[in-house]
């Protein structure tokens, strides 16, 4: 049995203030293991993005605890959380979030600069990460010269270049057509299974079901059901 890379226990989150207060999460317990691609599915407003943000230490829970690679985040200062996030978590977003004035290599390399990597070494690692997502031939291209699917692959390269053990993706295929969406899921599945990372993907697209090892369903801030699926390899 593998130890969980990320664990949420009894996590509740209240968002907003005054009359606009919303209980976005109401006691969520969830662990993710290396080697698995998990889908987090649920209707709009059910708390998916909030849960992803808390798991990735972008938001702190109102109640409950998070452990990342065995380290509890309880009482951690914002700088400690930022460090934990940089060391262990890679993010992928629906809208790619690339810098339009930087090449693919520089967009990826930027994720390493914050760790004080030397320029040339960082560039080599960025190119290696781009090669892993099938973009060895596009390292000098700017985002506007790339298709949506290619831009999302650059974003995945940026998420994995620092070698994080956890990848969190919020609707990464929502802006893509079916074929590009499948290609992105295959890359993320490969990252989970071959590199033994924990990959969690938020989606409400049922077409992604066959790519999952595990599916977690969330409704109204609570996990209501879980199933194992598809392609699990032991
Ligand atoms: N900053 C905020 N202030 C108040 N309520 C919010 C805020 N962000 C999200 N919410 C509410 O929290 C609930 C969960 O939101 P979210 O996690 O974004 O859902 P999902 O990603 O599943 O669509 C929703 O009811 C949403 O309206
Ligand atoms: Mg969302």
């Amino acid at each position: 049995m593998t130890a969980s890379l990320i664990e949420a226990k009894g996590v509740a989150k209240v968002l907003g203030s005054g009359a606009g207060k919303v209980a976005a999460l109401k006691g969520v317990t969830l662990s993710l293991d290396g080697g698995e691609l998990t889908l987090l599915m649920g209707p709009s407003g059910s708390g998916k993005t909030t849960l992803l943000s808390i798991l990735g230490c972008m938001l702190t829970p109102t109640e409950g605890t998070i452990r990342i690679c065995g380290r509890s985040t309880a009482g951690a200062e914002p700088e400690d959380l930022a460090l934990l996030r940089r060391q262990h978590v890679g993010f992928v977003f629906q809208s790619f979030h690339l810098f339009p004035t930087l090449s693919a290599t520089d967009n990826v390399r930027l994720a390493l600069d914050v760790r004080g990597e030397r320029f040339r070494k960082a560039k080599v690692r960025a190119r290696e990460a781009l090669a892993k997502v099938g973009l060895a031939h596009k390292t000098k291209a700017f985002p506007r010269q790339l298709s949506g699917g290619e831009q999302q692959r650059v974003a995945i390269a940026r998420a994995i270049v620092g070698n994080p053990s956890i990848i969190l993706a919020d609707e990464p295929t929502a802006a893509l057509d079916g074929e590009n969406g499948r290609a992105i899921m295959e890359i993320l599945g490969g990252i989970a299974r071959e590199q033994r990372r924990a990959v969690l993907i938020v989606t409400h697209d049922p077409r992604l079901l066959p790519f999952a090892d595990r599916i977690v369903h969330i409704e109204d801030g609570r996990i209501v059901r879980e199933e194992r699926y598809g392609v699990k390899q032991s």
Side-chain angles (χ1 to χ4, degrees), residues 137-206:
H137 58 305
K138 299 271 180 163
T139 55
K140 292 191 172 133
F142 290 91
R144 67 174 178 279
Q145 299 168 316
L146 298 170
S147 70
E150 288 170 337
Q151 289 184 56
Q152 193 59 302
R153 285 194 268 162
V154 174
I156 293 173
R158 179 183 57 191
I160 63 174
V161 70
N163 220 16
S165 38
I166 300 154
I167 309 280
L168 304 175
D170 201 350
E171 314 228 13
T173 64
L176 303 176
D177 62 33
E179 193 179 329
N180 278 302
R182 280 193 295 281
I184 292 299
M185 290 305 291
E186 268 163 24
I187 290 169
L188 290 169
I191 288 168
R193 292 173 203 116
E194 286 148 34
Q195 299 168 30
R196 310 300 300 166
R197 302 182 207 219
V199 177
L200 180 67
I201 300 179
V202 163
T203 184
H204 50 235
D205 185 352

Side-chain angles (χ1 to χ4, degrees), residues 56-72:
C57 303
M58 311 275 281
L59 266 184
T60 51
T62 311
E63 273 174 45
T65 56
I66 302 290
R67 292 180 83 84
I68 306 271
C69 297
R71 290 261 318 272
S72 169

Side-chain angles (χ1 to χ4, degrees), residues 21-233:
K21 262 191 188 175
V22 173
L25 296 175
K26 303 170 181 171
V28 169
T29 294
L30 176 69
S31 305
L32 302 176
D33 295 344
E36 284 194 336
L37 188 150
T38 303
L39 290 184
L40 177 63
M41 301 192 80
S44 186
S46 56
K48 303 183 297 295
T49 295
T50 306
L51 180 56
L52 204 75
S53 306
I54 288 178
L55 291 172
C57 303
M58 311 275 281
L59 266 184
T60 51
T62 311
E63 273 174 45
T65 56
I66 302 290
R67 292 180 83 84
I68 306 271
C69 297
R71 290 261 318 272
S72 169
T73 65
E77 298 293 328
E79 312 84 78
D80 302 330
L81 288 179
L83 188 65
L84 210 57
R85 186 162 69 228
R86 282 208 297 274
Q87 284 175 336
H88 298 295
V89 186
F91 287 95
V92 179
F93 304 93
Q94 173 176 337
S95 51
F96 323 139
H97 289 197
L98 300 177
F99 286 98
T101 56
L102 297 181
S103 69
T105 302
D106 285 341
N107 263 288
V108 175
R109 186 177 59 79
L110 214 60
L112 290 170
D113 274 355
V114 289
R115 298 159 194 248
E117 289 259 339
R118 301 272 282 282
F119 182 81
R120 192 172 298 169
K121 193 170 151 214
K123 208 155 191 162
V124 170
R125 286 183 64 185
R127 288 204 195 105
E128 285 168 358
L130 284 165
K132 278 187 194 150
V133 298
L135 287 182
H137 58 305
K138 299 271 180 163
T139 55
K140 292 191 172 133
F142 290 91
R144 67 174 178 279
Q145 299 168 316
L146 298 170
S147 70
E150 288 170 337
Q151 289 184 56
Q152 193 59 302
R153 285 194 268 162
V154 174
I156 293 173
R158 179 183 57 191
I160 63 174
V161 70
N163 220 16
S165 38
I166 300 154
I167 309 280
L168 304 175
D170 201 350
E171 314 228 13
T173 64
L176 303 176
D177 62 33
E179 193 179 329
N180 278 302
R182 280 193 295 281
I184 292 299
M185 290 305 291
E186 268 163 24
I187 290 169
L188 290 169
I191 288 168
R193 292 173 203 116
E194 286 148 34
Q195 299 168 30
R196 310 300 300 166
R197 302 182 207 219
V199 177
L200 180 67
I201 300 179
V202 163
T203 184
H204 50 235
D205 185 352
R207 289 177 304 179
L208 304 191
L209 290 175
F211 295 95
D213 300 304
R214 179 183 176 203
I215 300 165
V216 175
H217 297 268
I218 185 169
E219 282 174 25
D220 193 23
R222 290 191 179 88
I223 289 176
V224 291
R225 202 165 76 250
E226 238 195 74
E227 60 226 16
R228 298 248 161 213
Y229 219 75
V231 286
K232 171 83 181 146
Q233 295 158 2

